[in-house]
Structure formats: C-alpha cells, structure tokens
C-alpha cells in the first residue's frame, strides 16, 4: 500500500488551528469522534496537541516527529550570520520550541507577548529580549493568514534586528497571507513541505521550502523493520 498524505483535524475548536498533514499507510474510516484505520500507525510532524490526538482520536500508536533537526540544518546552511542570530517565538506558547533550537545553536532566544482584542485580532505586541544588531529568526509550528508573524517582523526590525527570517513547520497561507509576506520585511519565510507550496512559491519569492519527506520515509522504514524512531527526534536521515 503506498504512502499517502491527508489533512486531519486535530480536535475541537477552530479547524485551521488543528490542521495537520499526516503520513499514513492505508485508508482511514471516520466514526463518531475517532479515527479507525486499516493500518497500524499514525505519523505526524510537529503535532501541537499530540497527547490529545493519541488518546482521543486514534486506536493505533502515534509517532509525533519533529521538524527541528531539519530546521537547524537549514539555518546553518542558509544563514551565514547564524552565530549572531536570536531565535524568537511570536507568542509565549512557543517558548519551549525556541529555547530548544537556541540551545542547540548556542545562541540567545526571545519571545513576543501578544495582547488580543479578540481571538483573531492582536491589540499589542511586547518584545521580551534584546534583538539589537542580531539576525532574528522567528520560529513557529504553523502560519495561516500570517498577520502575527508579519507584525512580529516589523516589531523586531523596530527593535534593532538587522534581518528577519521566519521558519514554520506548516505553511497554510490562506486569505491575505501571501500578500502580507510580500509586503513584509522578511529575508525569507521558510516552511516544510507538509503542505505543497509550489503555487505559493510562484507568486512569492520569499517562500522557501525544507523537504521533510526523508524524515517521514525513514520513520516508516524504521517502523516496518521494528527499529526505534527516536533517532529522528534529533537527526536528519542521510
């Protein structure tokens, strides 16, 4: 049975907030509130609600893999000044993610605290950390309409950052997202290919892609052979 990809809603709430691309073998059957599968395993990349997904939606084992190893590799290979960078979370919820990347790069981290008028509208952003004269690298698990990361980019430049990059696992890019990216002061907006980006790249030269197909392929190979997938938590397969 070939590997297939399908978007799966991760739980209750706003659908786009739980939108994920998963690799699976076989065909899912949807019953009341749960997913039942003809095959034996679910593989996700940077699943935000991994515990709830594993316990609440699937009757099979769940492997949540991480884009972090591929992100680290991209930073080192594509940002010449990465040793003078600072890793920034666009919200407090991503602090764990950026501290992990900052620690592995041996650089500083910062975060942006958002005060909202309502769920979809940010009233004010407060930067916590010193980005002056540094390359700021925004890291998040997903971006939809890109309002937050574009506001964050302006905030970082106003605070003295020399350049701003954004690295996101899942680039949904709906509505005005591409227009906002084109107008924002990003050097690049980098996403993985959990969602195809070919059409977006044609109309936005700032969008770049990290190919994570080898991570999924290696996870499937290791599972098939009864090997541990934990190696992939910190390494990119050769």
């Amino acid at each position: 049975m070939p590997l297939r990809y399908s978007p799966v809603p991760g739980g209750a709430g706003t659908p786009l907030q739980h939108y994920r691309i998963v690799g699976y073998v076989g065909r899912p059957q949807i019953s009341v509130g749960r997913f039942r599968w003809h095959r034996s395993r679910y593989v996700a990349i940077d699943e935000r609600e991994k515990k709830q997904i594993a316990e609440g939606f699937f009757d099979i084992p769940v492997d949540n893999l991480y884009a972090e190893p591929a992100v680290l590799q991209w930073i080192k290979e594509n940002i010449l000044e990465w040793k003078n960078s600072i890793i920034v979370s666009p919200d407090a919820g991503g602090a764990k993610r950026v501290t992990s990347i900052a620690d592995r790069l041996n650089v500083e981290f910062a975060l942006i605290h958002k005060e909202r008028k309502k769920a979809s509208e940010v009233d004010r952003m407060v930067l916590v950390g010193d980005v002056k004269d540094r390359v700021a690298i925004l890291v998040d698990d997903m971006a939809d309409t890109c309002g937050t990361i574009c506001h964050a980019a302006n905030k970082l430049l106003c605070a003295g950052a020399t350049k701003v990059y954004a690295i996101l696992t899942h680039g949904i890019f709906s509505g005005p997202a591409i227009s906002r990216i084109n107008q924002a002061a990003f050097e690049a907006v980098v996403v993985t290919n959990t969602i195809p980006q070919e059409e977006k790249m044609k109309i936005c030269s700032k969008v770049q892609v990290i190919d994570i197909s080898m991570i999924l392929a290696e996870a499937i190979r290791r599972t098939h052979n009864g090997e541990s997938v934990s190696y992939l938590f910190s390494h990119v397969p050769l």
Side-chain angles (χ1 to χ4, degrees), residues 15-232:
L16 285 178
Q17 292 179 343
H18 300 277
Y19 194 84
R20 290 294 180 271
I21 298 299
V22 298
Y24 66 88
V25 179
R27 179 171 57 87
Q29 288 183 331
I30 300 177
S31 61
V32 179
R34 297 181 67 85
F35 288 87
R36 294 180 179 175
W37 301 72
H38 291 298
R39 289 297 182 261
S40 60
R41 209 165 195 92
Y42 167 101
V43 180
I45 297 286
D46 279 356
E47 179 53 67
R48 181 179 295 182
E49 307 291 347
K50 53 184 178 293
K51 182 177 180 181
Q52 290 87 335
I53 289 292
E55 296 178 354
F57 284 86
F58 295 92
D59 295 316
I60 56 176
V62 174
D63 288 320
N64 182 56
L65 304 178
Y66 300 96
E68 181 178 303
V71 167
L72 289 165
Q73 184 180 67
W74 190 93
I75 289 172
K76 291 179 178 180
E77 291 179 354
N78 294 276
I79 303 178
L80 296 178
E81 315 97 316
W82 68 266
K83 292 183 179 180
N84 185 41
S85 67
I86 184 165
I87 312 301
V88 185
S89 174
D91 56 55
K96 183 178 179 180
R97 182 183 303 107
V98 299
T99 53
S100 176
I101 293 175
D103 286 347
R104 294 186 65 181
L105 291 174
N106 195 28
V107 299
E108 297 295 320
F109 71 91
L111 62 86
I112 294 174
H113 173 66
K114 295 184 294 187
E115 297 179 358
R116 293 182 179 272
K117 287 183 178 178
K118 52 186 178 181
S120 60
E121 185 178 346
V122 176
D123 181 32
R124 190 165 70 101
M125 287 185 162
V126 179
L127 175 63
V128 181
D130 183 11
V131 302
K132 185 175 175 59
D133 298 326
R134 296 182 182 180
V135 176
I137 304 174
L138 281 162
V139 177
D140 206 355
D141 63 340
M142 62 178 285
D144 183 4
T145 59
C146 294
T148 294
I149 63 166
C150 290
H151 284 308
N154 292 334
K155 185 75 176 179
L156 293 168
L157 289 172
C158 290
T162 57
K163 296 178 181 178
V164 180
Y165 293 82
I167 303 181
L168 316 156
T169 304
H170 309 289
I172 298 173
F173 297 155
S174 67
I178 293 300
S179 174
R180 287 173 171 172
I181 292 171
N182 278 327
Q183 294 174 28
F186 289 112
E187 297 295 315
V189 175
V190 185
V191 295
T192 72
N193 58 342
T194 56
I195 298 174
Q197 301 295 345
E198 287 80 6
E199 294 303 313
K200 300 294 194 302
M201 293 173 70
K202 291 178 182 178
I203 57 176
C204 182
S205 61
K206 295 178 183 178
V207 174
Q208 299 184 28
V209 171
I210 298 173
D211 183 8
I212 50 85
S213 60
M214 286 302 297
I215 296 176
L216 286 171
E218 180 64 10
I220 293 170
R221 187 197 69 78
R222 285 173 175 265
T223 299
H224 180 74
N225 292 332
E227 303 172 24
S228 172
V229 299
S230 60
Y231 172 85
L232 300 174

